[in-house]
Amino acid sequence: MQRTVTRAAVSGCACVLIAALFSAPAYAQASFDAPYQTTDFSGEWTEIAHEIERAADLYDYSGIPYNAAGRMRADTGDISDWSIPEFVCRPHPGIYNWYHGGGVRITKEIDPISRELVAYHIQFLRALDRPVYLDGRPHPPAYAPHTWAGFSTGRYDGNTLVITTTHLKESYIRANTALFSEKATATEYLTLDGDIMTVTTLLDDPAYLEEPYIQSLSFRRNLHQELPYFPCTVGVENVQEGFPHFLPGKNPYIADAAKKLGLPVDAVKGGKETLYPEYREKLQNMQSKVSK
Protein backbone atom coordinates (compact mmCIF):
# COMPACT_ATOMS: atom_id res chain seq x y z
CA MET A 1 0.00 0.00 0.00
CA GLN A 2 2.79 2.40 0.93
CA ARG A 3 4.67 1.57 -2.26
CA THR A 4 1.53 2.33 -4.33
CA VAL A 5 1.03 5.71 -2.62
CA THR A 6 4.68 6.61 -3.17
CA ARG A 7 4.46 5.80 -6.89
CA ALA A 8 1.31 7.91 -7.19
CA ALA A 9 2.98 10.84 -5.44
CA VAL A 10 6.05 10.63 -7.65
CA SER A 11 3.89 10.46 -10.77
CA GLY A 12 1.88 13.46 -9.62
CA CYS A 13 5.01 15.49 -8.92
CA ALA A 14 6.41 14.61 -12.33
CA CYS A 15 3.25 15.77 -14.06
CA VAL A 16 3.31 19.06 -12.14
CA LEU A 17 6.97 19.64 -13.06
CA ILE A 18 6.36 18.91 -16.76
CA ALA A 19 3.38 21.24 -16.82
CA ALA A 20 5.41 23.97 -15.12
CA LEU A 21 8.24 23.60 -17.61
CA PHE A 22 5.92 24.00 -20.58
CA SER A 23 3.98 26.88 -19.08
CA ALA A 24 6.96 28.92 -17.81
CA PRO A 25 8.83 31.33 -20.14
CA ALA A 26 11.81 29.64 -21.79
CA TYR A 27 14.48 32.19 -20.86
CA ALA A 28 17.34 30.02 -22.06
CA GLN A 29 16.10 29.38 -25.59
CA ALA A 30 16.36 31.77 -28.55
CA SER A 31 13.44 34.00 -29.46
CA PHE A 32 12.69 34.55 -33.15
CA ASP A 33 10.43 37.56 -32.66
CA ALA A 34 11.79 40.62 -34.52
CA PRO A 35 12.74 43.35 -32.00
CA TYR A 36 11.05 45.94 -34.25
CA GLN A 37 9.19 45.97 -37.51
CA THR A 38 11.25 46.72 -40.61
CA THR A 39 10.73 46.95 -44.33
CA ASP A 40 13.72 45.74 -46.32
CA PHE A 41 14.96 48.39 -48.77
CA SER A 42 18.20 46.59 -49.65
CA GLY A 43 18.99 45.61 -53.22
CA GLU A 44 19.75 47.04 -56.64
CA TRP A 45 17.34 49.65 -57.94
CA THR A 46 16.72 51.15 -61.38
CA GLU A 47 14.92 54.46 -61.72
CA ILE A 48 11.60 54.57 -63.52
CA ALA A 49 11.38 57.17 -66.27
CA HIS A 50 10.36 60.58 -64.88
CA GLU A 51 10.12 64.21 -65.92
CA ILE A 52 12.38 65.72 -63.27
CA GLU A 53 15.21 67.66 -64.88
CA ARG A 54 18.67 66.90 -63.52
CA ALA A 55 19.85 70.11 -65.15
CA ALA A 56 18.18 73.11 -66.77
CA ASP A 57 19.13 76.10 -68.84
CA LEU A 58 21.67 78.32 -67.14
CA TYR A 59 20.11 80.61 -64.55
CA ASP A 60 16.68 78.97 -64.81
CA TYR A 61 15.42 78.28 -61.26
CA SER A 62 11.83 77.47 -62.18
CA GLY A 63 10.14 75.43 -59.48
CA ILE A 64 12.70 76.23 -56.78
CA PRO A 65 11.36 78.32 -53.86
CA TYR A 66 14.39 80.59 -53.75
CA ASN A 67 14.60 83.62 -51.50
CA ALA A 68 16.64 86.72 -52.39
CA ALA A 69 19.87 85.31 -50.93
CA GLY A 70 19.55 82.03 -52.83
CA ARG A 71 18.77 83.85 -56.06
CA MET A 72 21.79 86.11 -55.63
CA ARG A 73 24.05 83.13 -54.91
CA ALA A 74 22.87 81.36 -58.04
CA ASP A 75 22.99 84.47 -60.26
CA THR A 76 26.63 85.12 -59.34
CA GLY A 77 27.66 81.53 -60.01
CA ASP A 78 29.59 80.47 -63.11
CA ILE A 79 29.00 76.95 -64.42
CA SER A 80 32.65 76.76 -65.47
CA ASP A 81 33.53 76.19 -61.81
CA TRP A 82 32.98 72.50 -62.65
CA SER A 83 36.30 72.64 -64.49
CA ILE A 84 38.53 73.51 -61.53
CA PRO A 85 40.59 70.56 -60.16
CA GLU A 86 38.82 70.58 -56.78
CA PHE A 87 35.43 70.05 -58.44
CA VAL A 88 36.20 67.82 -61.43
CA CYS A 89 35.67 64.61 -59.46
CA ARG A 90 33.48 65.84 -56.62
CA PRO A 91 30.69 63.39 -55.79
CA HIS A 92 27.14 64.40 -56.49
CA PRO A 93 25.70 65.85 -53.30
CA GLY A 94 23.09 64.37 -50.99
CA ILE A 95 19.63 63.99 -52.48
CA TYR A 96 20.67 65.13 -55.97
CA ASN A 97 21.89 61.56 -56.50
CA TRP A 98 18.36 60.14 -56.55
CA TYR A 99 17.60 62.21 -59.65
CA HIS A 100 20.93 61.89 -61.44
CA GLY A 101 20.43 58.43 -62.91
CA GLY A 102 22.73 55.44 -63.12
CA GLY A 103 21.13 53.13 -60.56
CA VAL A 104 21.15 52.76 -56.79
CA ARG A 105 22.51 50.08 -54.48
CA ILE A 106 21.29 49.77 -50.88
CA THR A 107 22.98 47.32 -48.52
CA LYS A 108 22.34 46.45 -44.87
CA GLU A 109 24.86 46.62 -42.04
CA ILE A 110 23.93 44.02 -39.41
CA ASP A 111 25.43 43.73 -35.93
CA PRO A 112 27.02 40.23 -35.93
CA ILE A 113 26.12 39.60 -32.29
CA SER A 114 22.68 41.13 -31.78
CA ARG A 115 21.73 40.75 -35.47
CA GLU A 116 20.07 44.14 -35.31
CA LEU A 117 19.96 46.45 -38.31
CA VAL A 118 22.61 49.09 -37.55
CA ALA A 119 22.60 51.03 -40.82
CA TYR A 120 21.74 51.08 -44.48
CA HIS A 121 24.49 52.00 -46.94
CA ILE A 122 23.30 53.83 -50.06
CA GLN A 123 25.56 53.92 -53.10
CA PHE A 124 24.97 55.84 -56.32
CA LEU A 125 26.83 55.92 -59.61
CA ARG A 126 28.72 59.09 -58.78
CA ALA A 127 28.83 59.25 -55.00
CA LEU A 128 30.72 57.78 -52.09
CA ASP A 129 29.23 55.20 -49.77
CA ARG A 130 26.58 56.95 -47.71
CA PRO A 131 25.69 55.33 -44.37
CA VAL A 132 22.25 55.90 -42.88
CA TYR A 133 22.48 55.04 -39.18
CA LEU A 134 19.49 53.41 -37.51
CA ASP A 135 21.05 52.76 -34.10
CA GLY A 136 19.84 55.97 -32.48
CA ARG A 137 23.11 57.90 -32.55
CA PRO A 138 22.77 61.71 -32.48
CA HIS A 139 23.82 64.08 -35.23
CA PRO A 140 27.17 65.84 -34.71
CA PRO A 141 27.29 69.45 -33.48
CA ALA A 142 26.86 72.21 -36.05
CA TYR A 143 30.61 72.95 -36.16
CA ALA A 144 31.52 69.38 -37.18
CA PRO A 145 32.96 68.92 -40.69
CA HIS A 146 30.52 68.95 -43.61
CA THR A 147 30.83 66.45 -46.48
CA TRP A 148 29.27 65.85 -49.90
CA ALA A 149 27.14 63.02 -48.49
CA GLY A 150 26.38 64.66 -45.14
CA PHE A 151 25.48 62.80 -41.95
CA SER A 152 22.33 60.68 -42.16
CA THR A 153 20.18 58.93 -39.58
CA GLY A 154 17.05 56.93 -40.21
CA ARG A 155 13.96 55.71 -38.41
CA TYR A 156 10.91 53.69 -39.34
CA ASP A 157 7.49 55.34 -39.34
CA GLY A 158 5.33 52.29 -39.93
CA ASN A 159 6.64 50.84 -43.19
CA THR A 160 8.21 54.13 -44.30
CA LEU A 161 11.92 54.75 -43.81
CA VAL A 162 12.48 58.40 -42.86
CA ILE A 163 16.05 59.68 -43.36
CA THR A 164 17.35 62.99 -41.99
CA THR A 165 20.60 64.38 -43.37
CA THR A 166 22.61 67.32 -42.03
CA HIS A 167 26.22 68.54 -42.44
CA LEU A 168 26.08 68.80 -46.22
CA LYS A 169 28.56 70.97 -48.07
CA GLU A 170 27.09 73.73 -50.20
CA SER A 171 26.32 72.16 -53.55
CA TYR A 172 23.87 72.04 -56.42
CA ILE A 173 20.14 71.41 -56.55
CA ARG A 174 20.44 71.39 -60.32
CA ALA A 175 23.57 71.34 -62.42
CA ASN A 176 23.12 74.97 -63.50
CA THR A 177 24.40 77.06 -60.53
CA ALA A 178 21.19 76.51 -58.48
CA LEU A 179 22.61 75.68 -55.04
CA PHE A 180 21.60 74.85 -51.50
CA SER A 181 23.66 76.13 -48.56
CA GLU A 182 25.64 74.29 -45.89
CA LYS A 183 22.77 75.04 -43.49
CA ALA A 184 20.36 72.83 -45.45
CA THR A 185 18.68 69.76 -43.98
CA ALA A 186 17.35 67.02 -46.23
CA THR A 187 14.55 64.63 -45.29
CA GLU A 188 13.86 61.56 -47.43
CA TYR A 189 10.83 59.27 -47.26
CA LEU A 190 11.27 55.78 -48.72
CA THR A 191 8.21 53.56 -49.23
CA LEU A 192 7.71 50.19 -50.88
CA ASP A 193 4.85 48.86 -52.99
CA GLY A 194 5.85 45.40 -54.18
CA ASP A 195 9.02 45.85 -56.22
CA ILE A 196 8.52 49.63 -56.54
CA MET A 197 10.35 51.99 -54.18
CA THR A 198 9.16 55.59 -54.11
CA VAL A 199 11.53 58.25 -52.79
CA THR A 200 10.22 61.66 -51.72
CA THR A 201 12.81 64.28 -50.84
CA LEU A 202 12.27 67.47 -48.87
CA LEU A 203 15.07 70.05 -48.84
CA ASP A 204 14.82 72.69 -46.13
CA ASP A 205 17.34 75.53 -46.32
CA PRO A 206 16.88 78.54 -44.03
CA ALA A 207 19.58 80.47 -45.89
CA TYR A 208 18.50 80.07 -49.54
CA LEU A 209 14.89 78.82 -49.63
CA GLU A 210 11.57 80.44 -48.70
CA GLU A 211 9.98 77.04 -48.08
CA PRO A 212 11.01 73.38 -48.44
CA TYR A 213 11.74 72.10 -51.94
CA ILE A 214 9.90 68.82 -52.58
CA GLN A 215 10.46 66.22 -55.31
CA SER A 216 9.74 62.51 -55.74
CA LEU A 217 10.44 59.62 -58.10
CA SER A 218 10.23 55.84 -58.13
CA PHE A 219 12.62 52.93 -58.64
CA ARG A 220 12.08 49.28 -59.57
CA ARG A 221 14.01 46.50 -57.84
CA ASN A 222 16.40 44.98 -60.39
CA LEU A 223 17.69 41.46 -59.76
CA HIS A 224 19.99 41.63 -62.81
CA GLN A 225 21.85 44.87 -62.09
CA GLU A 226 25.24 45.58 -60.55
CA LEU A 227 26.16 49.16 -59.79
CA PRO A 228 29.23 49.95 -61.92
CA TYR A 229 32.45 51.54 -60.74
CA PHE A 230 32.70 55.21 -61.64
CA PRO A 231 36.26 56.13 -62.66
CA CYS A 232 37.29 59.76 -62.50
CA THR A 233 40.65 61.43 -63.00
CA VAL A 234 41.30 64.94 -61.76
CA GLY A 235 42.56 67.20 -64.52
CA VAL A 236 43.26 70.93 -64.86
CA GLU A 237 40.62 72.11 -67.31
CA ASN A 238 40.03 75.73 -66.39
CA VAL A 239 41.82 78.34 -68.48
CA GLN A 240 42.19 81.03 -65.86
CA GLU A 241 43.29 81.24 -62.27
CA GLY A 242 40.89 81.70 -59.39
CA PHE A 243 37.32 80.58 -58.79
CA PRO A 244 34.94 81.31 -61.71
CA HIS A 245 32.13 83.67 -60.71
CA PHE A 246 30.32 86.89 -61.59
CA LEU A 247 30.03 89.98 -59.43
CA PRO A 248 26.46 90.93 -58.49
CA GLY A 249 24.71 92.55 -61.42
CA LYS A 250 27.56 91.73 -63.83
CA ASN A 251 26.35 88.39 -65.23
CA PRO A 252 25.74 88.90 -68.97
CA TYR A 253 23.84 85.61 -69.35
CA ILE A 254 21.24 86.17 -66.66
CA ALA A 255 18.29 86.62 -69.06
CA ASP A 256 19.20 84.01 -71.69
CA ALA A 257 16.94 81.25 -70.34
CA ALA A 258 13.94 83.58 -70.14
CA LYS A 259 14.49 84.75 -73.72
CA LYS A 260 14.74 81.16 -74.91
CA LEU A 261 11.46 80.24 -73.20
CA GLY A 262 9.71 83.47 -74.17
CA LEU A 263 9.05 84.41 -70.54
CA PRO A 264 9.73 87.42 -68.34
CA VAL A 265 13.00 87.07 -66.40
CA ASP A 266 11.19 87.03 -63.06
CA ALA A 267 9.26 83.92 -64.14
CA VAL A 268 12.39 81.75 -64.24
CA LYS A 269 14.01 83.08 -61.05
CA GLY A 270 12.14 80.84 -58.65
CA GLY A 271 10.46 81.78 -55.41
CA LYS A 272 7.57 80.11 -53.62
CA GLU A 273 5.05 82.34 -55.37
CA THR A 274 5.91 80.73 -58.72
CA LEU A 275 5.04 77.22 -57.46
CA TYR A 276 1.31 77.76 -57.10
CA PRO A 277 -1.52 77.98 -59.68
CA GLU A 278 -2.36 81.56 -58.73
CA TYR A 279 0.93 82.67 -60.30
CA ARG A 280 -0.47 81.93 -63.78
CA GLU A 281 -2.61 85.06 -63.70
CA LYS A 282 0.34 87.21 -62.66
CA LEU A 283 2.46 85.63 -65.40
CA GLN A 284 -0.20 86.37 -68.01
CA ASN A 285 -0.29 89.99 -66.88
CA MET A 286 3.50 90.25 -67.12
CA GLN A 287 3.50 88.76 -70.60
CA SER A 288 0.74 91.06 -71.78
CA LYS A 289 2.72 94.09 -70.62
CA VAL A 290 5.78 92.79 -72.46
CA SER A 291 3.80 92.26 -75.68
CA LYS A 292 2.45 95.81 -75.49
Side-chain angles (χ1 to χ4, degrees), residues 20 65 104 108 173 212 252 259:
V104 181
K108 294 192 290 187
I173 299 173
K259 292 177 181 177

Side-chain angles (χ1 to χ4, degrees), residues 173-250:
I173 299 173
R174 293 178 186 157
N176 71 338
T177 76
L179 304 172
F180 58 83
S181 80
E182 77 284 354
K183 293 180 172 63
T185 298
T187 307
E188 296 142 278
Y189 300 87
L190 277 59
T191 59
L192 279 184
D193 183 6
D195 64 344
I196 302 297
M197 176 177 68
T198 298
V199 179
T200 302
T201 62
L202 186 151
L203 183 66
D204 191 6
D205 186 350
Y208 289 171
L209 299 179
E210 291 182 309
E211 65 182 31
Y213 179 51
I214 302 173
Q215 292 179 290
S216 68
L217 79 167
S218 295
F219 295 79
R220 189 183 301 278
R221 195 186 296 272
N222 192 336
L223 301 179
H224 307 285
Q225 172 182 288
E226 290 291 337
L227 190 68
Y229 168 68
F230 186 84
C232 186
T233 301
V234 176
V236 179
E237 300 176 5
N238 58 315
V239 295
Q240 61 182 3
E241 295 182 356
F243 191 89
H245 68 285
F246 294 102
L247 293 174
K250 300 297 183 181

